[in-house]
Amino acid sequence: MADGPNVTLTGASRTGFPPWTARPRRRWGEPWLAAVAGAFTLAQIVLVRPDLGLGWDETVYVSQVSGQVPAAFFSAPRARGVPLLAVPIASWSDSTALLRVYLAVLSGLGLYFALRIWRAHVMPRVLALAGALFASLWVTLFYGPQAMPNYWVAVGALACVGCFLRVRGNAGDRAAWWGVFAGAALMAWMRPMDAVYVMLPLFALALALRRARLLVVLAAGLLAGAGEWVIEAYMSYGGLGQRLSDASRIQGGLGLHLAVVDQLHSLGGRTLCRPCTGSAPNAVVTVWWFALPALAALGAVTAVRARRALPVLLPLACAATAAVPYLFLIGYAAPRFLLPAYALLALPVAHGLAHLVSAPTRGSARIVAVSFVAACLAAHLAVQYVVLEHTVRSSAAHRENWSRTASALHTLGVRPPCLLSGYEAVPIAFYTGCGSAQTDGHDTSTTAAALARAAHRTSLAVLTQPGDRPPAYARTWPMKRAGVLHAYVAPVVRQGR
C-alpha cells in the first residue's frame, strides 16, 4: 500500500510528515504542545476574564447540577454532558470565576492530550502550529472556559480521529482502542447528533477496510455517550422519535437551508445569528474563513504527493461532515457550531502552511514566502483578538443587564423560593435564584392556567419588554420596573406572604 509502514519518505522535512522509522517514542516535540495548551489556558483567563457572567445556555446547563438554583427546563436538543462536566464546581459553589478557571484549565488539558495523540502522524512543530491555529480563534478562546458543549465535541473529534489512525497502523495499541471509544463517547455525551456527523467517515472507512472490531468500538463509544440521551427520550420526551422531532422543531426544522452566509455574518462576534439580519462583517474579519479551504486543499495535495495522505485526508473528511448540518441543514448560525470542523481542519491547514514556508525555493523567494506567511498570521491574530474583545464586552454588558434585573426583582420582594416567566425569564431566573416556567417558545414547560394557580402559593413575576402586554392572568397585577424590563408581580409577593 502507498501509505503502508514500509514507505520511505525522503522529503519529510518539507511536508510535515516524519519518516515512519523516525517516529518511535520521540518526546522532544511535546514541549511545543504543552506551550500551546498553556498559552491557550492563560489567554482564556486573561482575555475572556473569569468574572464574565453565565450566558443563557450556560444557565440552563449549570442549573441542572447547581445546589443554589432550581433546574431550568431542559429542552429536547440538549444533552447532559455539560452539566456533568460542571458538577465538580457547580454542585457546591456559585462562583462563576471559579467555574471559568476550572473550565479554562480543563480545556487546556483537553487540547494538549488531543494533540498529543497525533504525534505519531504529524511532526511536532506542524502539530503545534495546528493546535495554535485552532486555539487562537476568537470562538475557541471565547467558548473554551464556558459551560458549553461545542469545544468538547471538537476535542473528542481530534482524539477519536487520531486514535482511529493509530489503531489502523497498529492494532495492538490498546491505549488507542480506548481512545477511539472515549473520543466517540465524549462527543456523543456532549452533542449526540454532532458525534454522528463527525464519525461518518470513520464508519465508512472501517467498513471499507472490513475492520469489524473498529466498527464495534466506534458504535460502542457512540452508544455509551448517547445512551443517557436515548433513555431520557423515552422517560421524559415521549420516545426517541418524538425527541428528535422536537429537537428539529426547536432548531427551526432541519432540512435544506443555506446557512453559509449566516455563518459568515456571525464571524464578527455574534454568538447567535437568529435571525441573521444586517450586513456581513468587514472583509478583514472574514478573510481567514475563506483561506481555510484553500490551505486545507494545499495540505491535502502535499500529503498525497508525500504518500502519507490519510493523516490529512481523514480529518479533512470528518471536518466536512461535521460542518454539513450547520452550513446546509439549519436556518440560523452560531460560530460555536463549527468548532469541531475548525479543530479538524487545523491539521491540513497547518500542513499547507508548513509547505508554503518550506517548499524548495531559492533564498530570496523563500525569505519572501516566510515573511508573507508570518505577516498574515500576525494580522490574523490581531483580528481574532479584536473580535474576541468585542464579543466579551458585548456579552458582559448583556449579562450585567440580567444581573441588574435580578437585583431589582429582589428589591421588589421576588426572592427564593420564587418563579419567573416571560421575556428572558430563563437566564434572569438563574441570576435571581428562582425557577423559570414558560407557556410558549422553545422552553415551554407549563400552561397559563398552571402559572395562574402558582401565583397564589409562590413568589411569581412575569417579565415583559416595555410596551408589551402581559399574559391575561397577570394583567391585574401591578407593574414595576426591573432594570430595563417591566415586572408584573403576583399578589402573594405584594402581601409579603
Side-chain angles (χ1 to χ4, degrees), residues 414-415 417-421 429 434-437 446 450-451 454-455 458-462:
V414 181
R415 297 175 179 274
C418 48
L419 188 64
L420 298 184
S421 186
C434 301
S436 61
T446 190
L451 283 180
T458 191
S459 176
L460 189 150
V462 177

Side-chain angles (χ1 to χ4, degrees), residues 67-213:
Q68 288 75 40
V69 297
F73 175 72
F74 208 71
S75 62
R78 301 186 189 278
R80 300 284 175 177
V82 172
L84 291 175
L85 190 72
V87 71
I89 301 298
S91 61
W92 60 273
S93 173
D94 62 356
S95 171
T96 300
L98 184 59
L99 181 63
R100 292 268 184 251
V101 171
Y102 159 74
L103 290 172
V105 172
L106 204 61
S107 63
L109 290 172
L111 181 64
Y112 170 75
F113 285 111
L115 290 173
R116 190 172 178 269
I117 289 167
W118 287 84
R119 70 191 190 281
H121 300 284
V122 183
M123 287 188 68
R125 295 183 185 184
V126 177
L127 185 56
L129 175 60
L133 290 172
F134 174 62
S136 62
L137 294 176
W138 75 262
V139 64
T140 311
L141 285 164
F142 185 71
Y143 284 104
Q146 296 206 35
M148 295 290 282
N150 310 86
Y151 173 81
W152 294 102
V153 177
V155 168
L158 274 176
C160 187
V161 177
C163 287
F164 182 99
L165 288 169
R166 284 177 53 177
V167 164
R168 181 183 175 275
N170 178 12
D173 190 340
R174 296 182 63 182
W177 283 106
W178 282 107
V180 171
F181 175 86
L186 177 60
M187 288 189 286
W189 190 33
M190 295 294 169
R191 289 181 72 89
M193 294 310 299
D194 283 17
V196 171
Y197 280 105
V198 169
M199 294 169 65
L200 284 176
L202 303 184
F203 277 113
L205 184 57
L207 189 62
L209 295 173
R210 299 182 180 179
R211 300 288 292 271
R213 185 180 174 189

Side-chain angles (χ1 to χ4, degrees), residues 95-443:
S95 171
T96 300
L98 184 59
L99 181 63
R100 292 268 184 251
V101 171
Y102 159 74
L103 290 172
V105 172
L106 204 61
S107 63
L109 290 172
L111 181 64
Y112 170 75
F113 285 111
L115 290 173
R116 190 172 178 269
I117 289 167
W118 287 84
R119 70 191 190 281
H121 300 284
V122 183
M123 287 188 68
R125 295 183 185 184
V126 177
L127 185 56
L129 175 60
L133 290 172
F134 174 62
S136 62
L137 294 176
W138 75 262
V139 64
T140 311
L141 285 164
F142 185 71
Y143 284 104
Q146 296 206 35
M148 295 290 282
N150 310 86
Y151 173 81
W152 294 102
V153 177
V155 168
L158 274 176
C160 187
V161 177
C163 287
F164 182 99
L165 288 169
R166 284 177 53 177
V167 164
R168 181 183 175 275
N170 178 12
D173 190 340
R174 296 182 63 182
W177 283 106
W178 282 107
V180 171
F181 175 86
L186 177 60
M187 288 189 286
W189 190 33
M190 295 294 169
R191 289 181 72 89
M193 294 310 299
D194 283 17
V196 171
Y197 280 105
V198 169
M199 294 169 65
L200 284 176
L202 303 184
F203 277 113
L205 184 57
L207 189 62
L209 295 173
R210 299 182 180 179
R211 300 288 292 271
R213 185 180 174 189
L214 257 178
L215 285 170
V216 170
V217 172
L218 286 168
L222 187 60
L223 291 174
E228 187 279 334
W229 195 85
V230 173
I231 293 170
E232 188 179 43
Y234 287 99
M235 295 182 64
S236 304
Y237 295 90
L240 181 59
Q242 186 60 50
R243 186 169 195 177
L244 290 171
S245 175
D246 290 346
S248 174
R249 174 181 51 79
I250 288 171
Q251 293 176 317
L254 296 180
L256 188 59
H257 299 282
L258 186 63
V260 176
V261 176
D262 292 344
Q263 286 288 351
L264 185 66
H265 284 195
S266 72
L267 295 178
R270 298 176 66 173
T271 56
L272 181 64
C273 210
R274 186 179 191 182
C276 212
T277 56
S279 58
N282 189 287
V284 174
V285 173
T286 61
V287 66
W288 69 270
W289 209 59
F290 294 102
L292 280 181
L295 289 170
L298 176 61
V301 170
T302 302
V304 170
R305 288 178 176 174
R307 295 190 296 176
R308 288 290 300 137
L310 197 59
V312 171
L313 295 185
L314 188 58
L316 185 57
C318 292
T321 56
V324 162
Y326 297 116
L327 294 178
F328 304 109
L329 298 181
I330 65 173
Y332 66 100
R336 61 186 172 88
F337 292 161
L338 294 179
L339 275 171
Y342 295 150
L344 292 164
L345 276 175
L347 291 161
V349 167
H351 283 297
L353 287 172
H355 176 74
L356 286 178
V357 300
S358 62
T361 55
R362 295 189 177 183
S364 59
R366 184 169 184 176
I367 291 173
V368 170
V370 171
S371 300
F372 176 75
V373 170
C376 288
L377 289 176
H380 171 71
L381 288 175
V383 168
Q384 297 302 308
Y385 168 76
V386 170
V387 176
L388 177 65
E389 194 275 335
H390 163 74
T391 306
V392 170
R393 187 174 64 251
S394 60
S395 297
H398 201 66
R399 297 168 195 195
E400 286 165 5
N401 284 338
W402 292 339
S403 182
R404 284 193 290 270
T405 300
S407 297
L409 288 169
H410 287 160
T411 301
L412 296 175
V414 181
R415 297 175 179 274
C418 48
L419 188 64
L420 298 184
S421 186
Y423 182 76
E424 294 192 335
V426 173
I428 294 173
F430 182 91
Y431 280 75
T432 312
C434 301
S436 61
Q438 300 286 52
T439 59
D440 55 22
H442 300 156
D443 295 307

